Amino acid sequence: MTQFQSARPWYRKQLSLAIAGALACCTAPALAQDVVEQPDDASAATNLDTVIVTANKRVENLRDVAASISVIDERQLENLGAVSLSDYAAFIPGLQVQNDGSPGLTRVSLRGIAALSSGATVSTYIDEVPVGSSGIYQGASTLMLDLLPYDIGRVEVLRGPQGTLYGAGAIGGLLKYVTREPDLSTPEARVGVGMRSVQSGDQALNLRFGASLPLKDERLGLRMSFARNEIAGFTDNAVDGREDINGGSQLGARTALSWDGDKVDLDLGVLHQRIRSDDRAGVALDPDTQQPLFGDDDDLAWQPRPFSKELTLVSLSVDWDLGWGDFVSATGWSQTDTVDQIDSTVQFGEVADLLLGLPEPGSSFVRYSFDLDKVTQEFRLQSKGGGTFEWMVGAFYTKEDALQSQFAWLGQRDGSSLPAPYDDMFGTLAIINLPSEYKEYALFANASWRFGDRFKIDAGLRQARNDQWFSQNVPTGILAPIGETPGDSSEDVFTWSLSPQYRFSDSVMVYARAATGYQPGGPNVALAGMPPQVDSSMLDSYEIGLKSQFADRRVTLDVSAFRIDWEDIQVASSFNGVGGLVNGGEATSEGLELSSQFRVTDALTLGLNGAYTDATLKNDFDPTIIPQGAFDVILWTGLAGDRMPYSPKVSWTATAEYAFSTAGGLDGQVGAALRWTGKRLNDTTERQRVTAPGDPDTLLVPDEITVPLELDSYRALDLYAGIGTRSWELRAYVNNVTGEKAWSTLAPMDGALSGARSHLAAVPIQPRTFGVEIDFRF
């Protein structure tokens, strides 16, 4: 069992607040920056639409921002039937999302900057507020926010480090959900229902409701939404014969209140999201052939593996127009409660026979509980936009109070308790409580200079300090030292960015960007061989890019090339299933990204995006020496030349959509997307050396090398269609039309004592899924 729930497996009540507003109203357009500019005349109808983003904490045209940004809007999410990040990740160049068997069990990386520890490398925002932990004790790398995308105006993805404006954790980039605001002038309501069916699996129903109500014309508005999505199971359990075990549900509710004053604008929101999965998707594979051991959808689970996650977010944004500038205050409070239970029978079940001498192996589970309270406050003073010189200065504060609890249980193979007296002595393998506190203070500034109509320079800097405390409390068990061991750490971190850009014309711009980012460290667990503190990981990124539109703006072509140098990488290091974090070494990531769209006619639009990413380790990671009494174990958790986990060298998506109108006044569209993901590796190489105590040159046995597992490339085809009027719309979709069998993640299941490999645990990509949705607007 790891002290951290890391990317390297094993070894390595508030709802009523958000629903209340929705139930209070029985009677919905987006925020101003969500609106797509429409052409002024019919001749411009084939021009590609303007996309508005808030990446620089200002409302800007995507074409004017000197950075790599992708946007998925509400209509795209609806067409795809998207209910989680993995449903639309392929449409964003350089974004990789690994689903570990349920929405919410999610790992996210950008440009090959994959998390090798428990800290995230991609920061997550909802509007103006960061969510999720910045520390290393809340499993942030494997429990990324996977928001049910209903009542979301768009999803912005910023590639490359965003440390100057978005701070800790945005070392690889930013994932930003932009919610819809109330309409202040026109009441609107929407209700919808849908059904989906998964190949060789179950069916699931989803319901949704959204409404916008002006309370004072052009001044005060209220928006409410509620959505419930059932998760259709498709995994069967070969141990007990249960079918479709990975069913569950997602629920989202939101209430937002907006005031548009002469000088002061105010936005208040309450959002609640809940995910509950009965078990998780998986397939047990033969370790040698990587073929299913039983059936195409059969897994091995001796113990239940439920997962649940609840997020409550309260946010308040105030924008004060000072005439010569704006003062912005963004306040957030969030509470996140997560329970993740895993079946550890293969790892720890052998304690029963190999250690205790019982006739057969036992069964085991480990239950992780994560509780996080997070408060954030940001103040910004900024100039008005559009001038020769634009500036912004700000201050940021966050405080996290968190608790991670681990409970490891051992019983008999049939799930009953161990026989006496072993149950009292060894039934509880470990109870570990890790309370922690994270505080961060930061000052930042950003400025833009325009030199004529063509040349512009953006620059930013941020000085941050984080103070952390934690305690390792182990009241009982055999897997970790008994006792209470506190620890603390403090760090000062400076990040900067510089982005010159040159505009050849209104529709062609080239830019360069240099930026830095960091992933916070913190106090380490108290284990032999582990340093008392793990330092921040630091990253330097260099990028050049082209943003262009031509052929009367019918064609959009964006290209970027980048190089990233990453040092002091945080890595999970462990032996016999127990471990902590170390600073490993260095890595580089180089690549090219393409985003393009071609509006062939008023009706037909084609698109192609793709990425080439070469992310590798520059050197062998620094070794960790773990004393074992009669011998020392020296571990290298990565070797020079290793590819970064789950980072394909090539990935791309091609899209086509045809819009049409009928003589009867109906409007509709049909579309397709073909996705390709190249080969990936599940981990880095591990070298284990056993030496005489205190003598690293005296080898007791030959080195043991554990190479990563390779996941094959795959392609998947998605189709969708829709038809309707202003008052109703009917949509249908088929995702993974050909029923492609491929793996999202892959992990070896080895005994913690014997090292014997039972099987490979594979999480499949979503099987062929049919869906039908209908919405009514009033």
Side-chain angles (χ1 to χ4, degrees), residues 142-425:
T142 56
L143 299 171
M144 288 286 291
L145 176 65
D146 200 348
L147 204 64
L148 179 63
Y150 182 67
D151 212 32
I152 299 297
R154 65 180 183 275
V155 180
E156 298 179 10
V157 178
L158 286 67
R159 297 185 289 277
Q162 308 296 323
T164 55
L165 284 179
Y166 292 96
I171 188 170
L174 176 76
L175 175 67
K176 186 175 185 179
Y177 297 94
V178 181
T179 60
R180 298 188 64 186
E181 280 198 347
D183 191 307
L184 303 183
S185 59
T186 306
E188 183 182 3
R190 173 184 176 182
V191 294
V193 63
M195 176 70 73
R196 64 172 54 87
S197 177
V198 178
Q199 177 185 8
S200 302
D202 208 348
Q203 294 79 43
L205 179 71
N206 63 81
L207 305 167
R208 52 196 172 270
F209 163 77
S212 190
L213 179 65
L215 301 179
K216 182 176 176 60
D217 192 39
E218 303 294 344
R219 288 294 189 184
L220 182 64
L222 178 68
R223 181 167 184 82
M224 301 141 295
S225 65
F226 174 82
R228 176 183 171 83
N229 175 67
E230 294 181 356
I231 301 171
F234 56 85
T235 289
D236 302 332
N237 188 2
V239 173
D240 57 18
R242 289 181 298 130
E243 297 183 346
D244 305 331
I245 62 174
N246 60 311
S249 64
Q250 297 166 277
L251 184 148
R254 175 174 171 260
T255 297
L257 187 70
S258 287
W259 168 263
D260 186 358
D262 293 331
K263 293 292 185 180
V264 177
D265 298 337
L266 182 147
D267 292 288
L268 173 66
V270 180
L271 177 146
H272 185 84
Q273 289 267 323
R274 186 185 74 197
I275 301 170
R276 290 183 179 172
S277 295
D278 301 327
D279 213 300
R280 62 196 63 195
V283 179
L285 304 182
D286 184 284
D288 298 320
T289 65
Q290 291 196 17
Q291 295 300 309
L293 280 172
F294 304 99
D296 286 346
D297 303 307
D298 286 11
D299 202 2
L300 287 171
W302 289 268
Q303 289 290 331
R305 301 171 298 183
F307 173 78
S308 65
K309 183 170 186 172
E310 294 195 36
L311 166 69
T312 300
L313 172 65
V314 181
S315 60
L316 174 64
S317 177
V318 179
D319 190 335
W320 180 16
D321 185 351
L322 302 173
W324 49 268
D326 295 292
F327 176 78
V328 178
S329 170
T331 307
W333 171 82
S334 62
Q335 178 178 328
T336 308
D337 298 310
T338 306
V339 177
D340 180 19
Q341 181 168 304
I342 58 179
D343 180 9
S344 54
T345 296
V346 171
Q347 291 81 5
F348 297 135
E350 62 185 21
V351 170
D353 58 326
L354 298 185
L355 188 62
L356 306 183
L358 296 177
E360 64 175 3
S363 65
S364 175
F365 68 79
V366 179
R367 181 184 303 125
Y368 294 89
S369 299
F370 302 91
D371 302 314
L372 172 67
D373 261 27
K374 184 182 180 86
V375 175
T376 62
Q377 177 63 61
E378 181 171 288
F379 296 116
R380 300 195 303 271
L381 184 64
Q382 60 195 49
S383 65
K384 296 293 185 180
T388 300
F389 178 67
E390 298 176 5
W391 53 268
M392 175 190 299
V393 293
F396 175 83
Y397 168 78
T398 186
K399 181 177 184 290
E400 299 178 12
D401 291 305
L403 173 64
Q404 179 192 152
S405 299
Q406 303 177 19
F407 170 62
W409 178 87
L410 175 66
Q412 299 190 74
R413 183 52 64 100
D414 63 4
S416 61
S417 300
L418 293 173
Y422 298 109
D423 183 32
D424 290 338
M425 299 172 63

Side-chain angles (χ1 to χ4, degrees), residues 437-441 464-470 487-493 518 520-524 532-536:
E437 181 181 88
Y438 179 96
K439 294 181 181 179
E440 183 176 348
Y441 315 83
R465 177 181 177 85
N466 68 72
D467 298 316
Q468 300 186 57
W469 170 90
F470 107 113
D488 57 59
S489 68
S490 296
E491 288 184 303
D492 294 296
V493 182
Y518 80 103
N524 211 351
Q533 176 178 334
V534 60
D535 296 329
S536 290

Side-chain angles (χ1 to χ4, degrees), residues 711-725:
L711 291 78
D712 286 338
S713 60
Y714 69 89
R715 66 179 180 274
L717 175 66
D718 304 328
L719 302 175
Y720 62 87
I723 193 168
T725 66

Side-chain angles (χ1 to χ4, degrees), residues 316-656:
L316 174 64
S317 177
V318 179
D319 190 335
W320 180 16
D321 185 351
L322 302 173
W324 49 268
D326 295 292
F327 176 78
V328 178
S329 170
T331 307
W333 171 82
S334 62
Q335 178 178 328
T336 308
D337 298 310
T338 306
V339 177
D340 180 19
Q341 181 168 304
I342 58 179
D343 180 9
S344 54
T345 296
V346 171
Q347 291 81 5
F348 297 135
E350 62 185 21
V351 170
D353 58 326
L354 298 185
L355 188 62
L356 306 183
L358 296 177
E360 64 175 3
S363 65
S364 175
F365 68 79
V366 179
R367 181 184 303 125
Y368 294 89
S369 299
F370 302 91
D371 302 314
L372 172 67
D373 261 27
K374 184 182 180 86
V375 175
T376 62
Q377 177 63 61
E378 181 171 288
F379 296 116
R380 300 195 303 271
L381 184 64
Q382 60 195 49
S383 65
K384 296 293 185 180
T388 300
F389 178 67
E390 298 176 5
W391 53 268
M392 175 190 299
V393 293
F396 175 83
Y397 168 78
T398 186
K399 181 177 184 290
E400 299 178 12
D401 291 305
L403 173 64
Q404 179 192 152
S405 299
Q406 303 177 19
F407 170 62
W409 178 87
L410 175 66
Q412 299 190 74
R413 183 52 64 100
D414 63 4
S416 61
S417 300
L418 293 173
Y422 298 109
D423 183 32
D424 290 338
M425 299 172 63
F426 300 102
T428 298
L429 291 175
I431 294 177
I432 302 175
N433 296 314
L434 302 173
S436 61
E437 181 181 88
Y438 179 96
K439 294 181 181 179
E440 183 176 348
Y441 315 83
L443 297 174
F444 61 92
N446 200 65
S448 298
W449 293 266
R450 287 184 173 86
F451 300 88
D453 296 331
R454 298 187 180 277
F455 188 62
K456 178 184 175 184
I457 295 180
D458 296 326
L461 54 87
R462 187 184 189 101
Q463 179 67 51
R465 177 181 177 85
N466 68 72
D467 298 316
Q468 300 186 57
W469 170 90
F470 107 113
S471 183
Q472 177 179 308
N473 304 333
V474 185
T476 187
I478 63 173
L479 297 182
I482 304 297
E484 297 186 3
T485 308
D488 57 59
S489 68
S490 296
E491 288 184 303
D492 294 296
V493 182
F494 178 76
T495 54
W496 58 268
S497 65
L498 182 66
S499 304
Q501 66 181 65
Y502 183 80
R503 187 170 290 280
F504 290 97
S505 66
D506 290 343
S507 55
V508 179
M509 179 185 76
V510 294
Y511 69 89
R513 185 173 189 266
T516 61
Y518 80 103
Q519 179 188 35
N524 211 351
V525 294
L527 291 174
M530 296 296 156
Q533 176 178 334
V534 60
D535 296 329
S536 290
S537 297
M538 301 298 296
L539 179 150
D540 298 322
S541 174
Y542 309 94
E543 175 182 346
I544 57 173
L546 165 72
K547 294 189 175 186
S548 64
Q549 290 182 315
F550 50 92
D552 294 329
R553 296 182 182 266
R554 294 194 308 256
V555 178
T556 293
L557 177 65
D558 294 349
V559 182
S560 60
F562 63 88
R563 177 186 171 89
I564 296 173
D565 294 312
W566 191 8
E567 62 183 21
D568 289 333
I569 301 173
Q570 295 172 14
V571 184
S573 180
S574 60
F575 180 70
N576 280 349
V578 179
L581 295 183
V582 297
N583 290 105
E586 300 179 1
T588 62
S589 182
E590 300 175 327
L592 298 170
E593 294 167 343
L594 166 73
S595 297
S596 63
Q597 196 174 55
F598 177 28
R599 183 163 290 174
V600 183
T601 67
D602 290 0
L604 178 62
T605 303
L606 305 177
L608 175 67
N609 70 61
Y612 169 82
T613 307
D614 184 13
T616 58
L617 304 188
K618 291 178 64 176
N619 59 336
D620 292 355
F621 281 163
D622 293 340
T624 302
I625 302 176
I626 306 174
Q628 294 293 304
F631 58 91
D632 287 346
V633 175
I634 305 178
L635 286 179
W636 290 262
T637 54
L639 301 182
D642 281 352
R643 284 171 53 191
M644 294 297 288
Y646 296 107
S647 178
K649 282 198 171 183
V650 178
S651 59
W652 53 264
T653 299
T655 61

